C-alpha cells in the first residue's frame, strides 16, 4: 500500500512538472508569451548552458555540428560564413523552434527542418530525408539537435558515410564521449544502428543509404537493443 502511494505521489509530481513546462512553452504572439517562451528556452530547454558550451565541431569542410545555438551564436556562425541551418529537432512549434526560426529569418539564414530521435530508432523515411537534405542544403551549414551529442552525432556519421564516402568504422567516431554521447544510455540505440550496418556490410558490402532504403528495419533494431539492455535513463 505504501509503495502504491509513493508511485501515485511520483506520478503527480511528474504531471505537475509537465504542466509547468507546458505553461512556459508558448508561441511568440504577445509580449507575455514571448517572455514565458524565453524562460522556457533558457531554463527548461537549457539554453543557459548552450550560451557558453557549444559542442561545435567542423566534421568536413563547411559542415558543422553543434548543440542548439542561441541567437548570439547563430550570429557568430553567420559571421564565420555559415549560410544554412539543418535543424534535427523537428518543427512542431515548440518555443525553442519558434525562436530559432525567428533568429534565422532575422539573420538571413536558410532553415531546413528534419526530425531524428535520440532514444529510439528513426524510421527509414526520416533517415533518408536527412540524407536528401545533405544533398540539397547550401554550404557552409550547421546541423544541430538539442545537446549536439546524439542526434547531431548520428546525423554527422550519416553525412560522412553517405556524402563523404567514409567507412562506418571511421564515421562512428561522431558518436563518442568527446561529444558527450554515451552508448550505455538509451541513446545507445544509435550506436546499435551503426553496429547492425557494420555487421551486414562486413559480410556483403552495401552502401549505407542502400541498406537503409532496402533492408533497414527500425522495429527489429529497437527490439534487439531493448532486449539486451536494461537501462536506468
Amino acid at each position: 500500500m505504501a509503495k502504491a502511494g509513493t508511485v501515485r505521489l511520483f506520478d503527480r509530481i511528474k504531471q505537475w512538472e509537465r504542466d509547468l513546462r507546458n505553461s512556459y512553452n508558448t508561441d511568440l504572439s504577445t509580449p507575455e508569451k514571448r517572455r514565458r517562451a524565453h524562460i522556457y528556452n533558457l531554463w527548461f530547454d537549457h539554453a543557459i548552458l548552450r550560451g557558453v558550451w557549444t559542442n561545435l565541431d567542423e566534421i568536413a569542410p563547411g559542415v558543422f555540428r553543434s548543440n542548439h545555438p542561441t541567437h548570439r551564436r547563430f550570429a557568430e556562425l553567420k559571421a564565420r560564413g555559415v549560410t544554412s541551418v539543418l535543424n534535427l529537432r523537428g518543427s512542431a512549434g515548440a518555443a525553442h523552434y519558434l525562436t530559432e526560426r525567428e533568429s534565422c529569418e532575422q539573420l538571413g539564414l536558410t532553415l531546413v527542418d528534419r526530425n531524428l530521435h535520440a532514444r529510439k530508432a528513426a524510421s527509414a523515411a526520416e533517415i533518408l530525408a536527412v540524407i536528401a537534405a545533405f544533398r540539397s542544403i547550401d554550404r557552409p551549414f550547421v546541423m544541430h539537435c538539442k545537446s549536439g551529442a546524439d542526434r547531431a552525432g548520428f546525423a554527422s556519421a550519416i553525412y560522412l558515410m553517405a556524402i563523404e564516402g567514409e567507412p562506418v568504422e571511421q564515421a562512428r567516431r561522431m558518436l563518442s564521449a568527446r561529444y558527450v554521447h554515451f552508448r550505455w544510455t538509451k541513446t545507445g540505440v544509435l550506436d546499435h544502428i551503426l553496429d547492425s550496418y557494420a555487421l551486414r556490410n562486413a559480410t556483403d558490402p552495401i552502401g549505407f543509404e542502400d541498406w537503409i532504403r532496402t533492408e533497414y528495419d527500425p522495429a527489429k533494431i529497437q527490439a534487439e537493443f531493448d532486449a539486451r539492455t536494461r537501462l536506468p535513463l
Side-chain angles (χ1 to χ4, degrees), residues 42-158:
L42 201 62
W43 298 105
F44 291 102
D45 203 54
H46 308 142
I48 188 70
L49 300 176
R50 301 195 301 271
V52 292
W53 173 61
T54 67
N55 219 359
L56 180 69
D57 192 20
E58 187 173 17
I59 67 163
V63 180
F64 298 87
R65 59 175 290 180
S66 172
N67 59 23
H68 193 134
T70 60
H71 180 84
R72 175 182 60 80
R73 285 182 49 216
F74 275 127
E76 291 171 352
L77 286 163
K78 181 180 180 180
R80 292 181 63 169
V82 168
T83 61
S84 306
V85 177
L86 178 56
N87 159 43
L88 300 169
R89 303 184 70 183
S91 56
H96 61 75
Y97 173 72
L98 296 176
T99 52
E100 173 177 19
R101 187 176 66 186
E102 184 176 77
S103 291
C104 288
E105 289 173 351
Q106 291 176 359
L107 295 168
L109 297 170
T110 300
L111 178 61
V112 178
D113 302 313
R114 294 293 185 268
N115 188 54
L116 285 178
H117 303 282
R119 293 175 174 81
K120 70 175 184 178
S123 70
E126 289 167 332
I127 294 174
L128 292 172
V130 169
I131 295 174
F134 287 150
R135 292 204 171 99
S136 63
I137 195 168
D138 290 334
R139 289 165 175 72
F141 76 91
V142 60
M143 69 182 89
H144 77 82
C145 54
K146 181 180 177 180
S147 67
D150 307 311
R151 287 169 288 184
F154 183 52
S156 295
I158 293 171

Side-chain angles (χ1 to χ4, degrees), residues 6-20:
T6 300
V7 170
R8 287 195 295 272
L9 176 61
F10 183 66
D11 288 342
R12 287 198 295 270
I13 292 173
K14 287 176 63 178
Q15 185 60 52
W16 172 83
E17 193 272 342
R18 283 193 294 267
D19 292 342
L20 180 64

Side-chain angles (χ1 to χ4, degrees), residues 167-210:
V168 61
E169 291 76 16
Q170 293 182 23
R172 68 186 314 141
R173 73 187 183 277
M174 293 291 103
L175 288 171
S176 71
R178 173 187 175 185
Y179 302 105
V180 201
H181 168 82
F182 304 105
R183 66 179 298 153
W184 46 263
T185 70
K186 286 186 176 180
T187 62
V189 70
L190 304 176
D191 301 89
H192 187 54
I193 293 172
L194 298 187
D195 291 343
S196 300
Y197 169 63
L199 184 63
R200 164 65 175 84
N201 191 55
T203 58
D204 184 13
I206 183 173
F208 179 78
E209 185 175 1
D210 289 338

